[in-house]
Amino acid sequence: MTGAPGPFSKTAGHCARRIAVEEGFTLPEVWTAARRVLGDRVREEPGEAFVFGLTAPAPRSGTAGPPPWLQVLMDLDERRLADMDVCGIDMQLLLLASPGVQIFEAGEARELSMLANDRLASAVARHADRLAGLAVIPPQDPLFAAAELERAVRTLGLRGAVINSHTGGEYLDGERFEPILDAAERLEVPIYIHPRAPSPAMVGPYLDQGLVGAIWGYAVEVGLHALRLIFSGTLDRHPRLRLVIGHMGEGIPFFLDRIDTHYGYGAGWGRRSRPLRRRPSEYFREHFCVTTSGMNWAPALRLAIDTLGSERVLFAADYPFEDANAAVERISAFPMTHVERTAIEADNARRVFGLPVAAGSGALGSPPKKGDRALG
Amino acid sequence: MTGAPGPFSKTAGHCARRIAVEEGFTLPEVWTAARRVLGDRVREEPGEAFVFGLTAPAPRSGTAGPPPWLQVLMDLDERRLADMDVCGIDMQLLLLASPGVQIFEAGEARELSMLANDRLASAVARHADRLAGLAVIPPQDPLFAAAELERAVRTLGLRGAVINSHTGGEYLDGERFEPILDAAERLEVPIYIHPRAPSPAMVGPYLDQGLVGAIWGYAVEVGLHALRLIFSGTLDRHPRLRLVIGHMGEGIPFFLDRIDTHYGYGAGWGRRSRPLRRRPSEYFREHFCVTTSGMNWAPALRLAIDTLGSERVLFAADYPFEDANAAVERISAFPMTHVERTAIEADNARRVFGLPVAAGSGALGSPPKKGDRALG
């Protein structure tokens, strides 16, 4: 990332602020604890241990150190804001980096989630016009998680929860997680199901060839999670639950028609015996929004807009894991209408996460302001 | 399916014949053996047992009988040809229905594969202008499988092999399958990797909510298989190996950019340590073609053509598991150029599978013939 303005500045023509909604951060305390726990629990968490470089393939000479983005991941002030300025992102919605607190024993998970939410709220308070955040909660202890979500939303001003897919191999359609889903509905905040490595019961075949992480396994894991929530009838029990998934819907939009077709073939012969109230795609369109994290790529963006509608697609850069400059460059170059762009780059994020409209923020129709890309 | 011509006849404007390349059949002997073996091996083959309706969810009253398409699946003569006439498919490329012979003990698999290939060749001989076929081979016995592929191609005139993804949890990047890949290269025929239920080591989380089969698990299984062949370096060892996968590439085209990006981030930190010679997408575009089976849906077809090129996309109806009439209707209504349509509906199939151009078959540029959609 350089200090010069990116090419995005040439492609402006819109005056909405740009909000990125799946942006990572961590705390030194969480990072250190995760390395320790994963080192001790390679057998129980083989996928995550692999992603963290604690198992084969052995790092090649020169790559054994911490990943290049680690320092940036821990910064919640100058460096982060400067990077946002460079690439043209006005606001980041922050998520504690995967796997959050879900690999910890419940007591440690409770402590670290509170610490992370407090620390995040404090950063948001320092930079209220640039940062917002989602609470991290430990599904290991569903009642605590529900209470911590309430505290994070009501007291700390966070905007929902991030859950990094499975917890100990269990998915949110499991009955014991009901208190969390109840709380999200009651508080009227979304749950962002962020990826982590595939659950232990299915990670095996992804390990051999290194397909565990963002390259493939992440999408497999969250795609399954989202469909389990639909097919289990969980969304019939939680009609107001709102969910967000990244990476352009983790492949589900591409298969939406096929999923409906095979659901329509009916139960029996390898299909579910309990019918849903509606077609699977109706649950997906009503309950889910998707973000462009790691997938700011024209063919996939086109497909998502065409199949879901521009009101269900939100821009995300996945900073600092992905090249945020390239993400902005690509979304800026993507041909879409002013209305679509305003929705995808800012207004959908405001609506879904209840983000404040900052003074002079340049919502649709308001005049360009200093630093707005329209002035570039 | 009715006897009346489908709406496709209104949307013609092209004069190539229509070839469908992932069309199912089975033999009573194979069907009976599969039910017997899967009933005995629910623990070893939980996914397939589920797909065959042998485990939970219990079929609802009225759905416990054989599936509606079973009689059609076994027909290789009048009924099949009549259905092809009705929906406007001039030629079917036949594949023994999944999971082929891969669930059987090696001896039975050898016998049934030879029986199926002989029976298929005989049907093709009876209807040489309407049917062609791929050989089924038992990867359980790689040397036999290679020899049977050679017999099927050289003696029986079959056009390649179908392998229904994993065999006993093993994928084709495993060293012991090298003789099969060698044979396909030497014979210059493609291998069609057709889905089956996810392998036992990863099917668990797909079972609970009935997501094992075509509705989702099939794509997960073959998507992983294809990527394993790329990331293992198998295609570096087999530079002339040609592969075909169905269901619009089992999701890979949607993620092609993300796969390249994360491969580009390099080894270490959960990524492979052994670099490939080229980018993953280059292997995919060079070695794979995709078919539209079960995915004759405009948004996915558009994405596949845009990302792979129309020369790598082949029409398939997935008869009799899918509605072949609807498949033809949808591909006919899809807006594309005459050159693209000719490639996707016929010429790519001829090139990839070495299918004969029948007299008066209406290859690109030749005059329309009786029964051609252009006359409709």
Side-chain angles (χ1 to χ4, degrees):
Chain A
M1 214 169 270
T2 72
F8 61 85
S9 54
K10 302 182 200 123
T11 60
H14 63 95
C15 59
R17 291 182 63 172
R18 189 179 289 115
I19 304 173
V21 299
E22 189 202 297
E23 315 309 306
F25 81 102
T26 197
L27 315 182
E29 293 89 337
V30 173
W31 183 260
T32 305
R35 299 275 302 175
R36 169 177 49 75
V37 165
L38 288 173
D40 292 344
R41 305 188 72 219
V42 168
R43 181 184 289 272
E44 294 84 0
E45 297 280 4
E48 227 58 65
F50 183 94
V51 168
F52 271 69
L54 298 169
T55 56
R60 291 185 299 175
S61 163
T63 64
W69 33 254
L70 185 58
Q71 288 308 312
V72 184
L73 194 65
M74 292 186 185
D75 183 286
L76 286 166
D77 294 285
E78 282 66 34
R79 171 128 186 220
R80 181 175 297 262
L81 299 185
D83 280 351
M84 290 166 63
D85 288 339
V86 166
C87 67
I89 288 173
D90 300 279
M91 177 172 273
Q92 282 190 346
L93 182 75
L94 295 166
L95 289 64
L96 185 72
S98 179
V101 298
Q102 288 164 244
I103 54 173
F104 302 121
E105 167 273 318
E108 187 165 26
R110 284 190 292 265
E111 278 174 35
L112 288 173
S113 64
M114 288 189 291
L115 178 68
N117 293 334
D118 288 342
R119 202 79 65 85
L120 175 55
S122 153
V124 170
R126 289 196 298 280
H127 311 290
D129 58 338
R130 308 298 305 277
L131 302 179
L134 297 182
V136 67
I137 55 176
Q140 299 94 313
D141 182 343
L143 287 174
F144 173 87
E148 176 62 6
L149 178 56
E150 180 155 358
R151 182 184 81 93
V153 170
R154 294 239 163 109
T155 309
L156 301 179
L158 299 181
R159 303 293 173 178
V162 55
I163 293 180
N164 294 285
S165 202
H166 80 85
T167 304
E170 290 183 283
Y171 295 88
L172 292 174
D173 56 287
E175 265 186 45
R176 79 189 199 91
F177 301 118
E178 289 283 309
I180 298 173
L181 309 187
D182 285 339
E185 274 190 300
R186 192 176 63 247
L187 295 163
E188 299 184 343
V189 293
I191 296 176
Y192 200 124
I193 304 182
H194 185 280
R196 61 179 298 199
S199 60
M202 67 180 189
V203 75
Y206 296 88
L207 290 167
D208 314 328
Q209 305 302 340
L211 295 164
V212 177
I215 203 163
W216 190 250
Y218 274 16
V220 171
E221 168 67 15
V222 177
L224 173 65
H225 200 156
L227 291 179
R228 286 181 60 117
L229 286 168
I230 294 172
F231 280 84
S232 60
T234 300
L235 299 177
D236 285 331
R237 292 196 304 278
H238 297 280
R240 287 173 299 123
L241 186 61
R242 290 182 297 127
L243 301 154
V244 181
I245 56 178
H247 316 101
M248 212 67 93
E250 312 287 6
I252 293 175
F254 187 74
F255 286 111
L256 212 50
D257 174 74
R258 181 162 168 79
I259 293 168
D260 270 357
T261 300
H262 281 267
Y263 179 71
Y265 288 162
W269 200 256
R271 296 172 187 113
R272 288 197 77 250
S273 56
R274 181 153 53 107
L276 301 172
R277 293 191 190 149
R278 287 171 291 162
R279 285 181 301 156
S281 67
E282 293 179 77
Y283 293 93
F284 192 73
R285 289 198 178 91
E286 178 165 326
H287 288 269
F288 288 84
C289 285
V290 309
T291 83
T292 68
S293 56
M295 289 282 283
N296 286 287
W297 183 52
L301 181 54
R302 183 76 270 154
L303 184 141
I305 294 173
D306 288 349
T307 58
L308 304 179
S310 59
E311 70 277 20
R312 294 183 191 85
V313 180
L314 285 69
F315 174 69
D318 211 350
Y319 172 95
F321 304 108
E322 304 276 348
D323 180 344
N325 241 331
V328 171
E329 209 172 300
R330 282 168 154 219
I331 195 93
S332 299
F334 182 79
M336 53 183 157
T337 66
H338 177 71
V339 170
E340 286 175 327
R341 184 174 301 283
T342 305
I344 289 171
E345 293 192 2
D347 285 352
N348 294 342
R350 291 199 184 94
R351 184 187 77 243
V352 171
F353 295 105
L355 300 179
V357 180
S361 72
L364 184 59
S366 65
K369 66 170 190 35
K370 182 167 177 292
D372 196 309
R373 251 49 54 196
L375 302 177
Chain B
M1 214 169 269
T2 70
F8 61 85
S9 54
K10 302 181 201 127
T11 60
H14 62 96
C15 59
R17 290 182 64 171
R18 188 178 291 116
I19 304 173
V21 299
E22 189 201 298
E23 314 309 306
F25 81 102
T26 196
L27 317 182
E29 294 89 338
V30 173
W31 183 260
T32 304
R35 299 275 303 176
R36 169 178 47 77
V37 165
L38 288 173
D40 293 344
R41 305 189 72 220
V42 167
R43 181 184 288 272
E44 295 83 359
E45 296 281 3
E48 228 57 65
F50 183 94
V51 168
F52 271 70
L54 298 169
T55 57
R60 291 185 299 174
S61 163
T63 64
W69 33 254
L70 186 58
Q71 287 309 312
V72 184
L73 194 65
M74 293 187 183
D75 183 287
L76 287 166
D77 293 284
E78 282 65 32
R79 170 129 186 218
R80 181 175 296 262
L81 299 185
D83 280 350
M84 291 166 64
D85 289 339
V86 166
C87 68
I89 289 173
D90 300 280
M91 176 173 271
Q92 283 190 345
L93 182 75
L94 294 166
L95 289 65
L96 186 70
S98 180
V101 298
Q102 288 163 248
I103 54 171
F104 301 121
E105 167 274 317
E108 187 166 25
R110 285 190 293 265
E111 278 175 35
L112 287 173
S113 65
M114 288 189 294
L115 178 68
N117 293 333
D118 288 342
R119 202 81 62 88
L120 175 56
S122 154
V124 169
R126 289 196 299 280
H127 311 289
D129 57 339
R130 306 300 303 277
L131 303 178
L134 297 181
V136 66
I137 55 176
Q140 299 94 313
D141 182 343
L143 287 175
F144 173 86
E148 176 62 6
L149 178 57
E150 179 155 356
R151 182 184 81 94
V153 171
R154 294 239 164 108
T155 309
L156 302 180
L158 299 181
R159 303 294 172 177
V162 54
I163 293 181
N164 294 285
S165 201
H166 80 84
T167 304
E170 291 184 284
Y171 295 88
L172 292 173
D173 56 287
E175 265 186 47
R176 78 188 198 92
F177 301 118
E178 289 283 308
I180 297 172
L181 309 186
D182 286 339
E185 273 190 300
R186 191 175 65 247
L187 296 163
E188 299 184 344
V189 293
I191 295 176
Y192 200 124
I193 305 182
H194 184 281
R196 59 178 298 196
S199 60
M202 67 179 188
V203 76
Y206 297 88
L207 290 168
D208 314 328
Q209 304 303 341
L211 295 163
V212 178
I215 202 162
W216 192 250
Y218 273 17
V220 170
E221 167 68 16
V222 177
L224 173 65
H225 200 155
L227 291 178
R228 286 181 59 118
L229 286 168
I230 293 172
F231 281 83
S232 60
T234 300
L235 300 177
D236 285 331
R237 292 196 305 278
H238 296 280
R240 288 173 299 121
L241 185 61
R242 290 183 295 127
L243 300 154
V244 180
I245 56 178
H247 316 101
M248 211 67 93
E250 312 286 7
I252 293 174
F254 187 75
F255 286 111
L256 211 50
D257 175 75
R258 182 160 167 80
I259 294 167
D260 270 358
T261 300
H262 281 266
Y263 179 72
Y265 288 161
W269 201 255
R271 295 170 189 115
R272 288 197 79 251
S273 56
R274 181 154 52 106
L276 302 171
R277 293 190 189 149
R278 286 170 292 161
R279 285 181 301 156
S281 66
E282 294 179 77
Y283 293 92
F284 192 73
R285 289 200 178 90
E286 180 164 325
H287 288 269
F288 288 83
C289 286
V290 309
T291 83
T292 68
S293 54
M295 289 282 283
N296 286 288
W297 182 52
L301 181 54
R302 183 76 271 154
L303 185 142
I305 294 172
D306 287 349
T307 59
L308 305 178
S310 59
E311 70 276 20
R312 294 183 189 86
V313 180
L314 286 67
F315 173 70
D318 212 350
Y319 172 96
F321 303 109
E322 304 275 350
D323 180 344
N325 242 330
V328 171
E329 209 173 300
R330 284 169 151 217
I331 195 95
S332 300
F334 182 79
M336 54 182 157
T337 66
H338 177 71
V339 170
E340 286 175 328
R341 184 175 301 283
T342 305
I344 290 171
E345 294 191 2
D347 284 352
N348 293 341
R350 292 199 183 93
R351 185 186 77 243
V352 170
F353 295 105
L355 300 180
V357 180
S361 72
L364 184 59
S366 65
K369 68 170 188 33
K370 185 167 174 291
D372 195 307
R373 249 52 51 196
L375 302 177

